[in-house]
Amino acid sequence: MIQAFTFARAPHIYFGAGSFSKIDKLLNAQVKTVLVITGSRSFRATAKWNEFRETLSKRAITFHDIMVSGEPSPGLVDSTVAKFRDKTVDMVLSIGGGSAIDAGKAISAMLVQPGSVVDYLEGVGSGVRHSGNKVPFIAVPTTAGTGSEATKNAVLSRVGANGFKKSLRHDNFVPDAAVIDPELMLSCPPPVTAACGMDAFTQLLESYVSTKANPMTDALAWSGLGFIRDSLVEAYRNGSHNIESRTGMAYAAHMSGLTLANAGLGIVHGIASAVGGYFDISHGVICGTLIGPATRLTVKKLETLGAAGEPFLKKYAAVGSLLSGSDNDDIYRSCDLLVQKIGEWAEMLHIPPLKEFTIPVSDREKIIDGSDNKNNPVALDRDDIHELLES
């Protein structure tokens, strides 16, 4: 029997090659001033950036723009809001990867809200509830990874010894529109394509096997996983001119945003938030290097649970069969194929292991303290997470 569930609203979606042209339609007659948030590199180097600016100029729309380099911090949000809070901003428009979209999402929410964004962050704030009011916000992803254009939270990071990676969240923060144009992703460099792609895959897999999954999120995650299978490696190898693979990854990433917003995620993201708060390491790289060992360990723990673990093992096995192209009826063999495929992808995409980054052994306990199982299909204790980090 289908258990009761809820599903958060999705943005108005404009999907497909060439859909960036829809921006002109979305900037209606009431929009006189736009705050544009972009990443620091790829989109600004394309002809579409100049075309976009010309469009705004022809429409006599005043626009201000800021660049986001790396994952957005509360300081970036606060300083931007302080600069524009007393000015009229009719719309915030983010064009970039997950960092640019999260920054724009938080800025649009704080332009009409008093105080620092830190006050409203989950887990570290002062417990003040955000009203949900915001400046209208449009998200235009130029990478296929976080699916932030579909979610209701903005992830902000303060990196360092006392760092954190926490969300500003409200149902109203879902973008008013998401313009997903794979043509904007053609210039995404291979290493970024790889890291973002593994993030999208991790989100799809973790939401599919989540304890909060439901038939609706399962259907969306399964659809996205099929496109990951067909598009991930090709987008990495030939993404600069292969619009089909970019389209497949754009769709998969968007599905991952919808499913994570409604089914939650698992141990990989539970650890990644802690690691990302303390160390300046790409979120997609953290996910890409952890998802294989985490899947292997979770499956191993589920196998000890007997009948209680079987529903989740069947899900892992189904994904293993999907990705490997095998019709094997052996659940355990199919789970092995899944772990094997993840390892192959990590190697083909040159995802660096965590040992290549300077993470002192003395900080592992701090990482474990900051990690959680979220909606992992089986609870992992401290020893399990230590084993996972070690592997």
Side-chain angles (χ1 to χ4, degrees):
M1 185 176 71
I2 298 175
Q3 301 298 315
F5 68 88
T6 61
F7 197 90
R9 76 170 180 87
H12 194 126
I13 301 167
Y14 299 87
F15 183 95
S19 59
F20 187 59
S21 63
K22 302 292 184 183
I23 291 292
D24 190 37
K25 172 186 175 183
L26 293 172
L27 298 172
N28 58 47
Q30 285 70 46
V31 177
K32 303 298 183 183
T33 303
V34 177
L35 176 57
V36 182
I37 318 293
T38 73
S40 60
R41 292 184 296 276
S42 59
F43 177 70
R44 286 175 177 260
T46 67
K48 289 187 180 295
W49 170 239
N50 290 328
E51 292 172 7
F52 170 67
R53 296 171 66 185
E54 289 174 6
T55 296
L56 295 180
S57 179
K58 290 177 181 177
R59 294 274 304 276
I61 295 175
T62 301
F63 83 97
H64 310 279
D65 65 290
I66 66 168
M67 293 188 296
V68 177
S69 179
E71 296 185 358
S73 67
L76 170 75
V77 174
D78 284 348
S79 62
T80 303
V81 168
K83 183 177 179 180
F84 294 103
R85 180 175 273 149
D86 294 332
K87 299 178 181 179
T88 299
V89 175
D90 300 310
M91 179 175 288
V92 176
L93 173 63
S94 283
I95 308 173
S99 294
I101 293 175
D102 278 354
K105 197 181 295 184
I107 290 166
S108 77
M110 292 305 300
L111 281 171
V112 294
Q113 198 77 12
S116 167
V117 69
V118 175
D119 297 334
Y120 303 90
L121 293 181
E122 297 173 344
V124 295
S126 56
V128 181
R129 293 178 63 87
H130 197 287
S131 66
N133 294 329
K134 68 174 186 182
V135 173
F137 175 58
I138 296 175
V140 185
T142 60
T143 63
T146 67
S148 182
E149 75 277 359
T151 67
K152 59 185 177 183
N153 66 304
V155 180
L156 304 180
S157 302
R158 180 180 290 166
V159 179
N162 297 309
F164 57 78
K165 191 168 186 176
K166 299 294 182 179
S167 285
L168 174 69
R169 191 187 309 269
H170 195 284
D171 288 348
N172 291 348
F173 295 165
V174 175
D176 298 285
V179 179
I180 307 167
D181 187 344
E183 290 182 354
L184 301 183
M185 303 173 188
L186 291 171
S187 61
C188 186
V192 178
T193 297
C196 290
M198 288 303 285
D199 184 20
F201 167 68
T202 301
Q203 291 174 171
L204 288 166
L205 180 60
E206 288 199 310
S207 59
Y208 185 65
V209 299
S210 167
T211 54
K212 287 176 57 181
N214 61 66
M216 192 167 178
T217 58
D218 280 356
L220 296 174
W222 187 259
S223 173
L225 286 164
F227 280 95
I228 288 276
R229 175 198 62 195
D230 297 337
S231 307
L232 175 58
V233 175
E234 180 62 22
Y236 171 73
R237 289 176 172 170
N238 301 301
S240 63
H241 57 270
N242 190 321
I243 192 66
E244 183 177 354
S245 65
R246 291 296 191 185
T247 302
M249 287 305 301
Y251 174 83
H254 190 66
M255 292 303 102
S256 80
L258 291 173
T259 57
L260 80 84
N262 290 283
L265 298 172
I267 187 62
V268 172
H269 278 80
I271 295 174
S273 291
V275 175
Y278 298 132
F279 304 100
D280 187 14
I281 307 174
S282 160
H283 175 72
V285 167
I286 299 171
C287 291
T289 197
L290 287 178
I291 185 59
T295 301
R296 182 174 59 246
L297 180 58
T298 299
V299 166
K300 177 182 173 183
K301 297 276 286 188
L302 287 169
E303 289 173 351
T304 68
L305 299 181
E310 189 170 326
F312 296 107
L313 286 174
K314 286 182 176 178
K315 280 192 161 186
Y316 278 116
V319 178
S321 295
L322 174 71
L323 300 186
S324 65
S326 169
D327 293 328
N328 198 316
D329 291 331
D330 186 328
I331 291 178
Y332 304 106
R333 173 57 181 156
S334 294
C335 288
D336 288 341
L337 289 173
L338 172 58
V339 174
Q340 180 180 322
K341 176 58 70 173
I342 295 172
E344 290 173 0
W345 280 349
E347 185 174 346
M348 284 189 287
L349 301 176
H350 299 96
I351 301 294
L354 288 181
K355 69 181 180 181
E356 292 192 11
F357 302 92
T358 306
I359 301 180
V361 174
S362 58
D363 283 340
R364 289 185 187 172
E365 292 302 316
K366 184 167 69 171
I367 291 172
I368 294 172
D369 287 340
S371 302
D372 64 65
N373 285 275
K374 294 191 175 180
N375 303 295
N376 210 56
V378 64
L380 302 183
D381 58 27
R382 294 184 66 88
D383 289 340
D384 292 327
I385 298 176
H386 190 281
E387 177 187 338
L388 175 53
L389 289 171
E390 188 69 29
S391 63

